[in-house]
Amino acid sequence: MTASTAFLATIPSPPQGVWEIGPFPIRAYALFTIIGIVVAIWWGQKRLEARGGAAGTVVDVAMFAVPFGVIGGRVYHVITDYHLYFGEGKDPVRALYVWEGGLGIWGAIALGAVGAWLGCKRKGLPLPVFADAVAPAIAVAHAIARIGNYFNQELYGAHTTLPWGLEIYQRVNARGEADQLNGISNGIPLPESPVHPTFLYELLWNLGVAALVVYVDRKQRLGHGRAFALYVAAYTLGRTWIELMRTDPATPVFGVRVNVWVSILLFVGALTYFFLARKKGSREVLGETDKPTETAPPSDTKPDDGLDNGKEKATINAKSTTPDVAQESRPED
């Protein structure tokens, strides 16, 4: 009775994180990451339009930012968790298997910012304006992606007896071999189960960060990259204590997980920028001067010199109503 009651008080894990549909595997991690990106683009676009941005701008910029971000996130993950892919008995090729999970948020933001800068430059949009618009949307996208970690049974902490402890089960493949990522649960909990669901802690923290950025932005009309800086500072504050609770292998620096040090440094930098940038004033609003304008085609008409020549005037009028295609200008995209 006691064991049954304890089990009911915990959070069960999904039996699997991959579903085979014909020859195609549908992975929960990839699915929720894509859903998060879609939500971020939709909400980011609404916030950018409220700042005077043009419709479709976020989608255009995302065409650069998303692939750059995925590459950056994977590179950061492989560098900080190299022990998973390199060394005796490891398969380095698996470092390319991004669909199996493992995207470092700071690598994604760093290289994603490069892609966003390229996209913004092409659109003639200041990068800080874009960053402020998408800041809370990124936090929500990150929260949604964490659901994929739940299906993968990863990013959890030490054993706990708290009511919200997470049950982690053994997973096996069709041959009965252990396969925590691609297998199906056999219903047998792992020895350390139940554990702290640190992925859930981060999910809830990210939603709180998004709400904080929106609230402060409305109150203070944050601009010049300050909304994005607030997002970074608030997220890293939570990531620091959550990271310290995780028990999965990680690269240590001076005995502390590398992501803890990165979070601390970014927290200090973001908070410093947030206060220094307030000297620049409140939020920028994109006006007509920030949008491409169409130049009227030049006219071939000449000033009236007083000659009453009907044929000459008819010719002039005919030419003035026909645009010179060779000289017609088009707005930049």
Side-chain angles (χ1 to χ4, degrees), residues 304-316:
D304 192 348
D305 57 1
L307 297 176
D308 188 12
N309 189 328
K311 184 181 294 185
E312 181 178 344
K313 286 188 175 182
T315 303
I316 292 173

Side-chain angles (χ1 to χ4, degrees), residues 25-268:
I26 304 299
R27 299 180 180 273
Y29 182 86
L31 180 62
F32 283 102
T33 299
I34 292 172
I35 293 174
I37 291 173
V38 171
V39 170
I41 291 174
W42 170 78
W43 191 19
Q45 179 61 50
K46 291 180 69 68
R47 284 176 52 82
L48 184 62
E49 289 181 11
R51 287 164 162 75
T57 298
V58 174
V59 174
D60 292 340
V61 176
M63 296 297 290
F64 292 86
V66 171
F68 273 72
V70 171
I71 295 172
R74 188 60 177 181
V75 169
Y76 180 90
H77 166 72
V78 172
I79 291 175
T80 56
D81 292 291
Y82 63 88
H83 56 276
L84 299 176
Y85 308 100
F86 305 99
E88 186 178 354
K90 303 296 182 180
D91 183 7
V93 177
R94 298 187 74 85
L96 303 176
Y97 296 174
V98 65
W99 54 87
E100 291 187 350
L103 292 175
I105 181 63
W106 299 122
I109 288 181
L111 204 55
V114 175
W117 174 76
L118 292 173
C120 286
K121 185 176 181 181
R122 182 175 180 273
K123 300 293 293 184
L125 176 69
L127 180 60
V129 175
F130 177 83
D132 285 338
V134 301
I138 292 176
V140 171
H142 196 184
I144 295 173
R146 281 294 178 235
I147 301 175
N149 299 128
Y150 170 57
F151 279 87
N152 278 1
Q153 292 193 138
E154 58 188 2
L155 271 61
Y156 53 82
H159 173 76
T160 181
T161 57
L162 292 171
W164 55 82
L166 178 70
E167 290 287 348
I168 301 294
Y169 305 109
Q170 297 178 15
R171 287 179 177 177
V172 296
N173 57 27
R175 297 184 297 274
E177 301 168 339
D179 189 346
Q180 288 300 113
L181 183 63
N182 302 297
I184 299 177
S185 171
N186 59 9
I188 302 175
L190 293 180
E192 63 268 32
S193 185
V195 295
H196 278 286
T198 51
F199 79 90
L200 179 60
Y201 299 163
E202 188 172 337
L203 185 159
L204 296 174
W205 185 271
N206 284 337
L207 294 179
V209 169
L212 174 67
V213 173
V214 170
Y215 175 78
V216 177
D217 188 26
R218 287 178 177 175
K219 290 292 184 180
Q220 299 189 16
R221 294 184 59 80
L222 299 177
H224 308 285
R226 295 183 71 213
F228 188 82
L230 178 61
Y231 150 68
V232 173
Y235 171 71
T236 51
L237 180 64
R239 180 62 184 264
T240 299
W241 66 265
I242 294 172
E243 187 74 21
L244 289 170
M245 295 182 68
R246 286 171 53 174
T247 57
D248 53 306
T251 303
V253 177
F254 300 117
V256 180
R257 298 168 69 95
V258 63
N259 280 329
V260 173
W261 292 113
V262 174
S263 295
I264 292 173
L265 291 174
L266 288 173
F267 171 78
V268 173

